[in-house]
Amino acid sequence: MNSNIKVLLVINPISGGSGKEQLTKDIHIEVAKHNVSLETFETTGNDDEQIIKNIIETHKINRILVAGGDGTIQLVAKAIDDKDISIGIIPAGSANGLASNFNLPNSLEKQVEVALGEHFILMDIVSVNQHLCLHIADVGINAELIKNYENSNLRGKLGYAVQTIPTLIESELPYKFLLEVNEEKLEKEGIMIAIANANKFGTGAMVNPSGKMDDGFFEVLVFKSLDVIKILKTLGGTLEPDAEFVECFTTKSVTIKSEKAVSLQADGEFIGQVNTVEAKLFTSKLKIMIPVDAIPAY
C-alpha cells in the first residue's frame, strides 16, 4: 500500500465491557504490514468528536480504522463531516449492529485487510429525531429492551437475552401509532416500528431482508404480531419475518406519532421516551470498507 496513506485508529477502550490494550497492540502489528502511517486515539467520552476532527486536519488522515461498537462508528461518522475519508470496522463493542451487515471476516488480520483494501460502499445515513442513525432505529419493544439492558450490569448478547422476558412482561403491548409515510396517514398497532437502513440488528436478527444501505431509501417496518414466541424469535434472530408479522414501507422520510410516550433507540443506543419520531434520509454518504464478497448483497 502507498506509504502516503494516513490512517487513524479510533479505539473505544471500554466498548464490549473489557479493556483493549492487547487489541490495540495486535491492530498495530497488523497495520504495520501494510506500509502506512498510523495515528491512534482512544476515546474518553470527553470532547472526542472535536479531537478526532483536529487529528484528521493535523495529520491529513485518509482512512479511519474504528475498533469499537456502533456508538464509536457514529462518533467517527460525525467527525468526518462529509470529507472523503473511508471507515474500516474492527467489531469490538457490545452492539456491533452495523458490522453484522457487512459479512466481515472473523480474524483481525482479515479485518485490517478489508479496512485498508479497495472495496467500499457509499452508505446512506438517516436522521432520527436529529440523531445520526447508520443501520436501525426503532420505537417500541426493542427500544424498551435496550433501555433495560443499559440499566443492567450484564453486557453482550447474554445481557440482551436476560432482559427480554422482563421487558415483555412490563411493556404495555400493543402500542398504537399514527404513521405518516409516502403522503399517507395510517393508524397502526403492533409491538414496534423499525426505521431500517440495514438488514440486521446487532443480535443478528434479520428484520429487513430486502434493505440496501446505498439505494437512497430506507424501510419502515411495522411489526404487528403479539405472539410472544414470534417476538422472542425475532429479537433473538431465529425468525425470518413474514407478511403477516411485519408490514414494510420504502421511503425517504417518515413521521411516527403515539399518544403515549414510547421508547426510542438508534443503532443500539437508547434515546428516550417520545411521542413523535421524525426520520429522513441524509443526502451525504458514508464510505464504508467492505469485503469483496459483501458487494453483491448491496
Side-chain angles (χ1 to χ4, degrees), residues 60-152:
K60 308 301 180 186
I61 297 298
N62 310 106
R63 301 192 180 203
I64 298 183
L65 190 57
V66 180
D70 293 329
T72 314
I73 299 170
Q74 268 198 6
L75 169 68
V76 170
K78 293 175 185 175
I80 287 175
D81 193 26
D82 290 336
K83 292 181 174 63
D84 183 20
I85 298 174
S86 65
I87 294 178
I89 302 173
I90 307 295
S94 296
N96 299 303
L98 184 61
S100 70
N101 288 271
F102 293 133
N103 194 30
L104 293 175
N106 292 323
S107 74
L108 178 61
E109 178 184 10
K110 295 296 184 182
Q111 289 169 357
V112 171
E113 284 182 9
V114 169
L116 299 180
E118 301 300 327
H119 302 283
F120 62 88
I121 66 166
L122 293 174
M123 193 185 79
D124 298 326
I125 305 172
V126 182
S127 169
V128 179
N129 281 18
Q130 299 184 346
H131 291 263
L132 189 70
C133 178
L134 301 180
H135 66 103
I136 297 180
D138 56 66
V139 58
I141 189 69
N142 186 62
E144 189 72 13
L145 171 60
I146 287 173
K147 180 188 74 173
N148 292 338
Y149 168 82
E150 289 186 357
N151 291 331
S152 71

Coordinates of all heavy atoms in Angstrom, one line a residue, residues 60-152:
K60 N -3.7 15.0 8.2 CA -4.1 14.8 6.8 C -4.6 13.3 6.7 O -4.2 12.6 5.8 CB -3.0 15.1 5.8 CG -2.4 16.5 6.0 CD -3.5 17.6 5.8 CE -2.8 19.0 6.0 NZ -3.9 20.0 6.0
I61 N -5.5 12.9 7.5 CA -5.9 11.5 7.6 C -6.7 11.1 6.3 O -7.6 11.9 5.9 CB -6.8 11.2 8.9 CG1 -5.9 11.4 10.1 CG2 -7.4 9.8 8.8 CD1 -4.7 10.5 10.3
N62 N -6.4 10.0 5.7 CA -7.1 9.4 4.6 C -8.2 8.4 4.9 O -9.2 8.3 4.3 CB -6.2 8.8 3.6 CG -5.0 9.7 3.2 OD1 -3.9 9.4 3.7 ND2 -5.2 10.7 2.4
R63 N -7.8 7.6 6.0 CA -8.7 6.5 6.4 C -8.8 6.4 7.9 O -7.8 6.8 8.6 CB -8.1 5.2 5.8 CG -8.0 5.1 4.3 CD -7.8 3.7 3.8 NE -7.7 3.6 2.4 CZ -7.9 2.5 1.7 NH1 -8.3 1.4 2.3 NH2 -7.8 2.5 0.4
I64 N -9.9 5.9 8.4 CA -10.1 5.8 9.8 C -10.4 4.3 10.1 O -11.3 3.7 9.4 CB -11.1 6.7 10.4 CG1 -10.7 8.2 10.2 CG2 -11.3 6.4 11.9 CD1 -11.7 9.2 10.8
L65 N -9.7 3.7 11.0 CA -10.0 2.4 11.5 C -10.7 2.4 12.8 O -10.1 3.0 13.7 CB -8.7 1.6 11.6 CG -8.7 0.1 11.8 CD1 -9.5 -0.6 10.7 CD2 -7.3 -0.4 11.8
V66 N -11.9 1.9 12.9 CA -12.7 2.0 14.1 C -12.7 0.7 14.9 O -13.2 -0.3 14.3 CB -14.1 2.5 13.9 CG1 -14.9 2.6 15.2 CG2 -14.1 3.8 13.1
A67 N -12.2 0.7 16.1 CA -12.3 -0.5 16.9 C -13.2 -0.2 18.1 O -12.9 0.4 19.0 CB -10.9 -0.9 17.4
G68 N -14.5 -0.7 17.9 CA -15.5 -0.4 18.9 C -16.8 -0.9 18.4 O -16.9 -1.7 17.5
G69 N -17.9 -0.4 19.0 CA -19.2 -0.7 18.6 C -19.9 0.3 17.8 O -19.2 1.3 17.2
D70 N -21.2 0.3 17.7 CA -22.0 1.2 16.8 C -21.8 2.7 17.3 O -21.7 3.6 16.5 CB -23.4 0.9 16.9 CG -23.7 -0.5 16.2 OD1 -23.0 -0.8 15.2 OD2 -24.7 -1.2 16.6
G71 N -21.7 2.9 18.6 CA -21.5 4.2 19.1 C -20.2 4.9 18.7 O -20.2 6.1 18.4
T72 N -19.2 4.1 18.6 CA -17.9 4.6 18.2 C -17.9 4.9 16.7 O -17.3 5.9 16.3 CB -16.8 3.6 18.5 OG1 -16.9 3.1 19.9 CG2 -15.4 4.2 18.4
I73 N -18.5 4.1 15.9 CA -18.7 4.3 14.5 C -19.5 5.6 14.3 O -19.1 6.4 13.4 CB -19.3 3.1 13.8 CG1 -18.4 1.9 13.9 CG2 -19.5 3.5 12.3 CD1 -19.1 0.6 13.5
Q74 N -20.5 5.8 15.0 CA -21.3 7.0 14.9 C -20.5 8.2 15.2 O -20.6 9.2 14.5 CB -22.5 6.9 16.0 CG -23.8 6.4 15.4 CD -24.9 6.8 16.3 OE1 -24.8 7.5 17.3 NE2 -26.1 6.2 16.0
L75 N -19.7 8.1 16.3 CA -18.8 9.3 16.7 C -17.9 9.6 15.5 O -17.8 10.8 15.2 CB -18.0 8.8 17.9 CG -16.8 9.8 18.3 CD1 -17.4 11.1 18.8 CD2 -16.0 9.1 19.3
V76 N -17.3 8.7 14.9 CA -16.4 8.9 13.8 C -17.1 9.5 12.6 O -16.6 10.4 11.9 CB -15.6 7.6 13.4 CG1 -14.9 7.8 12.1 CG2 -14.7 7.2 14.5
A77 N -18.3 9.0 12.3 CA -19.1 9.4 11.2 C -19.4 10.9 11.3 O -19.4 11.7 10.4 CB -20.4 8.7 11.1
K78 N -19.7 11.4 12.6 CA -20.0 12.8 12.8 C -18.7 13.6 12.6 O -18.7 14.7 12.1 CB -20.5 13.0 14.2 CG -21.8 12.4 14.5 CD -22.2 12.6 16.0 CE -23.5 11.9 16.3 NZ -23.8 11.9 17.8
A79 N -17.6 13.1 13.0 CA -16.3 13.8 13.0 C -15.8 14.0 11.5 O -15.2 15.0 11.2 CB -15.2 13.1 13.8
I80 N -16.1 13.0 10.7 CA -15.7 13.1 9.3 C -16.3 14.3 8.5 O -15.6 14.9 7.7 CB -16.0 11.7 8.5 CG1 -15.0 10.6 9.0 CG2 -15.9 11.9 7.0 CD1 -15.4 9.3 8.4
D81 N -17.6 14.5 8.8 CA -18.3 15.7 8.3 C -18.1 15.9 6.8 O -17.6 16.9 6.3 CB -17.7 16.9 9.0 CG -18.5 18.2 8.8 OD1 -19.7 18.0 8.6 OD2 -18.0 19.3 9.0
D82 N -18.5 14.9 6.0 CA -18.6 15.0 4.5 C -17.2 14.9 3.8 O -17.1 15.1 2.6 CB -19.3 16.2 4.0 CG -20.8 16.2 4.3 OD1 -21.3 15.1 4.4 OD2 -21.4 17.3 4.4
K83 N -16.2 14.7 4.6 CA -14.8 14.5 4.0 C -14.7 13.2 3.3 O -15.4 12.2 3.7 CB -13.7 14.7 5.0 CG -13.6 16.1 5.6 CD -12.5 16.1 6.6 CE -12.2 17.6 7.1 NZ -13.4 18.1 7.8
D84 N -13.9 13.1 2.3 CA -13.7 11.8 1.6 C -12.7 10.9 2.3 O -11.5 10.8 2.0 CB -13.1 12.1 0.1 CG -13.0 10.8 -0.7 OD1 -13.6 9.8 -0.3 OD2 -12.2 10.8 -1.6
I85 N -13.2 10.4 3.4 CA -12.4 9.5 4.3 C -13.2 8.2 4.5 O -14.3 8.3 4.8 CB -12.1 10.2 5.7 CG1 -11.3 11.5 5.5 CG2 -11.4 9.3 6.6 CD1 -11.1 12.3 6.8
S86 N -12.5 7.1 4.3 CA -13.1 5.8 4.5 C -13.1 5.4 5.9 O -12.2 5.7 6.7 CB -12.5 4.8 3.6 OG -11.2 4.5 4.0
I87 N -14.1 4.5 6.3 CA -14.1 3.9 7.6 C -14.0 2.4 7.5 O -14.7 1.8 6.7 CB -15.4 4.2 8.3 CG1 -15.5 5.7 8.6 CG2 -15.6 3.4 9.6 CD1 -16.8 6.1 9.3
G88 N -13.0 1.8 8.1 CA -12.9 0.4 8.3 C -13.2 0.0 9.7 O -12.9 0.6 10.6
I89 N -14.0 -1.1 9.8 CA -14.5 -1.5 11.1 C -13.9 -2.8 11.7 O -13.7 -3.8 11.0 CB -16.0 -1.8 10.9 CG1 -16.8 -0.6 10.4 CG2 -16.6 -2.2 12.3 CD1 -18.2 -0.8 10.0
I90 N -13.4 -2.7 12.9 CA -13.0 -3.8 13.7 C -14.1 -4.0 14.8 O -14.1 -3.2 15.8 CB -11.6 -3.5 14.4 CG1 -10.6 -3.1 13.4 CG2 -11.2 -4.8 15.2 CD1 -10.2 -4.2 12.4
P91 N -15.0 -4.9 14.7 CA -16.1 -5.0 15.6 C -15.6 -5.4 17.0 O -14.9 -6.4 17.2 CB -16.9 -6.2 15.1 CG -16.5 -6.4 13.6 CD -15.0 -6.0 13.6
A92 N -15.8 -4.5 18.0 CA -15.3 -4.7 19.3 C -16.2 -4.1 20.4 O -15.7 -3.7 21.4 CB -13.9 -4.1 19.4
G93 N -17.5 -4.0 20.1 CA -18.4 -3.4 21.0 C -19.5 -4.4 21.6 O -19.5 -5.5 21.2
S94 N -20.3 -3.9 22.5 CA -21.4 -4.7 23.0 C -22.4 -4.8 21.9 O -23.1 -5.9 21.7 CB -22.1 -4.0 24.2 OG -21.2 -3.9 25.3
A95 N -22.6 -3.8 21.1 CA -23.5 -3.8 19.9 C -22.7 -3.5 18.7 O -22.2 -2.5 18.5 CB -24.6 -2.8 20.1
N96 N -22.7 -4.6 17.8 CA -22.0 -4.4 16.5 C -23.0 -4.6 15.4 O -22.7 -5.3 14.4 CB -20.9 -5.5 16.4 CG -19.8 -5.3 17.5 OD1 -19.2 -4.3 17.7 ND2 -19.6 -6.4 18.3
G97 N -24.1 -3.8 15.5 CA -25.2 -4.0 14.5 C -24.8 -3.6 13.1 O -25.1 -4.4 12.2
L98 N -24.0 -2.5 13.0 CA -23.6 -2.1 11.6 C -22.7 -3.1 11.0 O -22.9 -3.6 9.9 CB -23.0 -0.7 11.6 CG -22.6 -0.2 10.3 CD1 -23.8 0.0 9.4 CD2 -21.9 1.2 10.4
A99 N -21.7 -3.6 11.8 CA -20.7 -4.5 11.3 C -21.4 -5.8 10.9 O -20.9 -6.5 9.9 CB -19.7 -4.8 12.4
S100 N -22.4 -6.2 11.6 CA -23.1 -7.5 11.3 C -23.7 -7.6 9.9 O -24.0 -8.6 9.4 CB -24.1 -7.9 12.4 OG -25.2 -7.0 12.2
N101 N -23.9 -6.4 9.3 CA -24.5 -6.3 8.0 C -23.5 -6.4 6.8 O -23.9 -6.5 5.7 CB -25.3 -5.0 7.8 CG -26.5 -5.0 8.7 OD1 -27.6 -5.4 8.2 ND2 -26.4 -4.5 9.9
F102 N -22.2 -6.5 7.1 CA -21.2 -6.4 6.1 C -20.4 -7.7 5.9 O -19.4 -7.7 5.1 CB -20.2 -5.2 6.4 CG -20.9 -3.9 6.3 CD1 -20.7 -2.9 7.3 CD2 -21.7 -3.5 5.2 CE1 -21.2 -1.7 7.2 CE2 -22.3 -2.3 5.1 CZ -22.0 -1.4 6.1
N103 N -20.8 -8.7 6.5 CA -20.1 -10.0 6.3 C -18.6 -9.9 6.5 O -17.8 -10.4 5.7 CB -20.4 -10.5 4.9 CG -20.0 -12.0 4.7 OD1 -20.1 -12.8 5.7 ND2 -19.6 -12.4 3.5
L104 N -18.2 -9.2 7.6 CA -16.8 -9.0 7.9 C -16.2 -10.3 8.3 O -16.8 -11.1 9.0 CB -16.6 -7.9 9.0 CG -17.0 -6.5 8.6 CD1 -16.9 -5.6 9.8 CD2 -16.1 -6.0 7.5
P105 N -14.9 -10.5 8.0 CA -14.2 -11.8 8.4 C -14.0 -11.8 9.9 O -14.1 -10.7 10.6 CB -12.9 -11.7 7.7 CG -12.7 -10.3 7.4 CD -14.0 -9.7 7.2
N106 N -13.8 -13.0 10.5 CA -13.7 -13.1 11.9 C -12.3 -12.8 12.5 O -12.1 -12.3 13.6 CB -14.0 -14.5 12.4 CG -15.5 -14.9 12.1 OD1 -16.3 -14.0 12.4 ND2 -15.8 -16.1 11.7
S107 N -11.2 -13.0 11.6 CA -9.9 -12.8 12.1 C -9.5 -11.3 12.0 O -9.9 -10.6 11.1 CB -8.9 -13.6 11.3 OG -8.7 -13.1 10.0
L108 N -8.7 -10.8 13.0 CA -8.3 -9.4 13.0 C -7.4 -9.1 11.7 O -7.5 -8.1 11.1 CB -7.5 -9.1 14.2 CG -6.9 -7.7 14.4 CD1 -8.0 -6.7 14.4 CD2 -6.0 -7.6 15.6
E109 N -6.6 -10.1 11.3 CA -5.7 -9.9 10.2 C -6.6 -9.6 8.9 O -6.3 -8.6 8.2 CB -4.9 -11.2 9.9 CG -4.0 -11.1 8.7 CD -3.3 -12.4 8.4 OE1 -3.6 -13.4 9.0 OE2 -2.4 -12.4 7.5
K110 N -7.6 -10.4 8.7 CA -8.5 -10.2 7.6 C -9.3 -8.9 7.7 O -9.6 -8.2 6.7 CB -9.4 -11.4 7.4 CG -8.7 -12.7 7.0 CD -8.0 -12.6 5.7 CE -7.4 -13.9 5.3 NZ -6.6 -13.8 4.0
Q111 N -9.7 -8.5 8.9 CA -10.5 -7.3 9.1 C -9.7 -6.1 8.8 O -10.2 -5.1 8.1 CB -10.9 -7.2 10.6 CG -12.0 -8.2 10.9 CD -12.3 -8.3 12.4 OE1 -11.6 -7.7 13.2 NE2 -13.3 -9.1 12.8
V112 N -8.4 -6.1 9.1 CA -7.5 -5.0 8.8 C -7.3 -5.0 7.3 O -7.2 -3.9 6.7 CB -6.2 -5.1 9.5 CG1 -5.1 -4.1 9.0 CG2 -6.4 -4.9 11.0
E113 N -7.2 -6.1 6.6 CA -7.0 -6.2 5.2 C -8.2 -5.5 4.5 O -8.1 -4.8 3.5 CB -6.9 -7.6 4.7 CG -5.5 -8.2 5.0 CD -5.4 -9.6 4.4 OE1 -6.3 -10.1 3.7 OE2 -4.4 -10.3 4.7
V114 N -9.4 -5.8 5.0 CA -10.6 -5.2 4.4 C -10.6 -3.7 4.7 O -10.9 -2.9 3.7 CB -11.9 -5.8 5.1 CG1 -13.1 -5.0 4.7 CG2 -12.1 -7.2 4.7
A115 N -10.3 -3.3 5.9 CA -10.3 -1.8 6.2 C -9.3 -1.0 5.4 O -9.5 0.1 5.1 CB -9.9 -1.7 7.7
L116 N -8.2 -1.7 5.0 CA -7.1 -1.0 4.2 C -7.2 -1.4 2.8 O -6.2 -1.1 2.0 CB -5.8 -1.2 4.8 CG -5.6 -0.8 6.3 CD1 -4.2 -1.1 6.8 CD2 -5.9 0.7 6.4
G117 N -8.3 -2.0 2.4 CA -8.4 -2.5 1.0 C -9.0 -1.5 0.1 O -8.9 -0.3 0.3
E118 N -9.6 -2.0 -1.0 CA -10.1 -1.1 -2.1 C -11.6 -1.1 -2.3 O -12.2 -0.4 -3.1 CB -9.4 -1.4 -3.4 CG -7.9 -1.2 -3.3 CD -7.5 0.2 -3.0 OE1 -8.2 1.1 -3.4 OE2 -6.4 0.3 -2.3
H119 N -12.3 -2.0 -1.5 CA -13.7 -2.3 -1.8 C -14.6 -1.6 -0.7 O -14.4 -1.7 0.5 CB -14.0 -3.8 -1.8 CG -13.2 -4.5 -2.8 ND1 -13.5 -4.5 -4.2 CD2 -12.1 -5.3 -2.7 CE1 -12.6 -5.2 -4.8 NE2 -11.8 -5.7 -3.9
F120 N -15.6 -0.8 -1.2 CA -16.4 0.0 -0.3 C -17.8 0.2 -0.8 O -18.0 0.0 -2.0 CB -15.7 1.4 0.0 CG -15.6 2.2 -1.2 CD1 -16.6 3.1 -1.6 CD2 -14.4 2.2 -2.0 CE1 -16.5 3.9 -2.8 CE2 -14.3 3.0 -3.1 CZ -15.3 3.8 -3.5
I121 N -18.7 0.7 0.1 CA -20.0 1.2 -0.4 C -20.1 2.6 0.1 O -19.4 3.0 1.1 CB -21.2 0.4 0.1 CG1 -21.3 0.4 1.6 CG2 -21.1 -1.1 -0.4 CD1 -22.7 -0.1 2.1
L122 N -20.9 3.4 -0.6 CA -21.2 4.8 -0.1 C -22.6 4.6 0.6 O -23.6 4.7 -0.1 CB -21.2 5.8 -1.3 CG -19.9 6.0 -1.9 CD1 -20.0 6.9 -3.2 CD2 -18.9 6.7 -0.9
M123 N -22.6 4.5 1.9 CA -23.7 4.1 2.6 C -24.6 5.3 3.0 O -24.1 6.4 3.3 CB -23.3 3.5 4.0 CG -24.4 2.8 4.7 SD -23.7 2.2 6.3 CE -23.8 3.7 7.3
D124 N -25.9 5.1 2.9 CA -26.9 6.1 3.3 C -26.8 6.4 4.8 O -26.4 5.5 5.5 CB -28.3 5.7 2.9 CG -28.5 5.5 1.4 OD1 -27.9 6.2 0.6 OD2 -29.3 4.6 1.0
I125 N -27.2 7.6 5.2 CA -27.3 7.9 6.6 C -28.7 8.5 6.8 O -29.3 9.2 6.0 CB -26.3 9.0 7.0 CG1 -24.9 8.6 6.6 CG2 -26.4 9.3 8.5 CD1 -23.9 9.7 6.8
V126 N -29.3 8.1 8.0 CA -30.7 8.6 8.4 C -30.6 9.4 9.6 O -29.8 9.1 10.5 CB -31.6 7.3 8.6 CG1 -33.0 7.8 8.9 CG2 -31.6 6.4 7.4
S127 N -31.4 10.5 9.6 CA -31.5 11.3 10.8 C -32.8 10.9 11.5 O -33.9 10.9 10.9 CB -31.6 12.8 10.4 OG -32.0 13.6 11.5
V128 N -32.7 10.5 12.8 CA -33.9 10.1 13.6 C -34.0 11.0 14.8 O -33.2 11.0 15.7 CB -33.8 8.7 14.0 CG1 -35.0 8.3 14.8 CG2 -33.7 7.7 12.8
N129 N -35.0 11.9 14.8 CA -35.1 12.9 15.8 C -33.8 13.7 16.0 O -33.3 13.9 17.2 CB -35.6 12.3 17.1 CG -37.1 12.1 17.1 OD1 -37.7 12.1 16.1 ND2 -37.7 11.8 18.3
Q130 N -33.1 14.0 14.9 CA -31.9 14.7 14.9 C -30.7 13.9 15.4 O -29.6 14.5 15.7 CB -32.0 16.1 15.6 CG -33.1 17.0 14.9 CD -33.1 18.4 15.5 OE1 -32.6 18.6 16.5 NE2 -33.8 19.3 14.8
H131 N -30.9 12.6 15.6 CA -29.8 11.7 16.0 C -29.3 11.0 14.7 O -30.1 10.5 14.0 CB -30.2 10.7 17.0 CG -30.5 11.3 18.4 ND1 -29.6 11.3 19.4 CD2 -31.6 11.9 18.9 CE1 -30.1 11.9 20.5 NE2 -31.3 12.3 20.2
L132 N -28.0 10.9 14.6 CA -27.5 10.1 13.4 C -27.8 8.6 13.6 O -27.6 8.0 14.7 CB -26.0 10.3 13.4 CG -25.2 9.7 12.2 CD1 -25.5 10.6 11.0 CD2 -23.7 9.8 12.5
C133 N -28.3 8.0 12.5 CA -28.7 6.6 12.6 C -28.0 5.9 11.3 O -28.3 6.3 10.2 CB -30.2 6.4 12.5 SG -30.6 4.6 12.5
L134 N -27.1 5.0 11.6 CA -26.4 4.3 10.5 C -27.1 3.0 10.0 O -27.1 2.7 8.8 CB -25.0 4.0 10.9 CG -24.2 5.2 11.3 CD1 -22.8 4.8 11.7 CD2 -24.1 6.3 10.2
H135 N -27.7 2.3 11.0 CA -28.3 1.0 10.5 C -29.7 0.8 10.9 O -30.6 0.8 10.0 CB -27.4 -0.2 10.9 CG -27.3 -0.5 12.4 ND1 -28.1 -1.5 13.0 CD2 -26.6 0.1 13.3 CE1 -27.7 -1.5 14.3 NE2 -26.9 -0.6 14.5
I136 N -30.1 0.8 12.2 CA -31.5 0.6 12.5 C -31.9 1.4 13.8 O -31.2 1.4 14.8 CB -31.9 -0.9 12.7 CG1 -31.7 -1.7 11.5 CG2 -33.3 -1.0 13.2 CD1 -32.0 -3.2 11.6
A137 N -33.0 2.1 13.7 CA -33.6 2.7 14.8 C -35.0 2.1 15.0 O -35.6 1.6 14.0 CB -33.8 4.2 14.7
D138 N -35.6 2.1 16.2 CA -36.9 1.7 16.3 C -37.6 2.3 17.6 O -36.9 2.7 18.5 CB -37.0 0.1 16.4 CG -36.1 -0.5 17.5 OD1 -36.4 -0.3 18.7 OD2 -35.2 -1.2 17.1
V139 N -38.9 2.2 17.5 CA -39.7 2.7 18.6 C -40.6 1.6 19.1 O -41.3 0.9 18.2 CB -40.5 4.0 18.2 CG1 -41.4 3.7 17.0 CG2 -41.3 4.5 19.4
G140 N -40.6 1.2 20.4 CA -41.4 0.1 20.8 C -40.6 -0.9 21.7 O -39.7 -0.5 22.4
I141 N -40.9 -2.2 21.5 CA -40.4 -3.2 22.4 C -38.9 -3.4 22.4 O -38.3 -3.6 23.4 CB -41.1 -4.6 22.1 CG1 -40.8 -5.6 23.2 CG2 -40.8 -5.1 20.7 CD1 -41.4 -5.3 24.5
N142 N -38.3 -3.3 21.2 CA -36.8 -3.4 21.2 C -36.1 -2.3 21.8 O -35.1 -2.5 22.6 CB -36.3 -3.6 19.7 CG -34.9 -3.9 19.7 OD1 -34.4 -5.0 20.2 ND2 -34.1 -3.0 19.1
A143 N -36.6 -1.1 21.7 CA -36.0 0.1 22.3 C -36.2 0.0 23.8 O -35.3 0.4 24.6 CB -36.7 1.4 21.8
E144 N -37.4 -0.6 24.3 CA -37.6 -0.8 25.7 C -36.6 -1.8 26.2 O -36.0 -1.6 27.3 CB -39.0 -1.3 25.9 CG -39.5 -1.4 27.4 CD -39.7 0.0 28.0 OE1 -39.8 1.0 27.3 OE2 -39.8 0.0 29.2
L145 N -36.3 -2.8 25.4 CA -35.3 -3.8 25.8 C -33.9 -3.2 26.0 O -33.2 -3.5 26.9 CB -35.3 -4.9 24.8 CG -34.2 -6.0 24.8 CD1 -34.3 -6.7 26.2 CD2 -34.3 -7.0 23.7
I146 N -33.6 -2.3 25.0 CA -32.3 -1.7 25.1 C -32.2 -0.8 26.3 O -31.1 -0.7 27.0 CB -32.0 -0.9 23.8 CG1 -31.7 -1.9 22.7 CG2 -30.8 0.1 23.9 CD1 -31.6 -1.4 21.3
K147 N -33.2 -0.1 26.6 CA -33.3 0.8 27.8 C -33.0 -0.1 29.1 O -32.1 0.3 29.9 CB -34.6 1.4 28.0 CG -34.7 2.3 29.2 CD -36.1 2.9 29.5 CE -37.0 1.8 30.0 NZ -38.4 2.3 30.4
N148 N -33.6 -1.2 29.2 CA -33.4 -2.1 30.3 C -32.0 -2.7 30.3 O -31.4 -2.9 31.4 CB -34.5 -3.2 30.3 CG -35.9 -2.7 30.6 OD1 -36.0 -1.6 31.2 ND2 -36.9 -3.5 30.2
Y149 N -31.5 -3.0 29.1 CA -30.2 -3.5 29.0 C -29.1 -2.5 29.5 O -28.2 -2.9 30.2 CB -29.9 -3.9 27.6 CG -28.4 -4.2 27.2 CD1 -27.9 -5.4 27.5 CD2 -27.6 -3.2 26.6 CE1 -26.5 -5.7 27.2 CE2 -26.3 -3.4 26.3 CZ -25.8 -4.7 26.6 OH -24.5 -4.9 26.3
E150 N -29.3 -1.2 29.1 CA -28.4 -0.2 29.5 C -28.4 0.0 31.0 O -27.4 0.5 31.6 CB -28.7 1.1 28.8 CG -28.3 1.0 27.3 CD -28.5 2.4 26.6 OE1 -28.9 3.4 27.3 OE2 -28.2 2.5 25.4
N151 N -29.5 -0.3 31.7 CA -29.6 -0.1 33.1 C -29.2 -1.3 33.9 O -29.2 -1.3 35.1 CB -31.1 0.2 33.5 CG -31.5 1.6 33.0 OD1 -30.7 2.5 32.9 ND2 -32.8 1.8 32.7
S152 N -28.8 -2.4 33.2 CA -28.3 -3.6 33.9 C -26.8 -3.7 33.8 O -26.1 -2.8 33.2 CB -28.9 -4.9 33.2 OG -28.3 -5.0 31.9

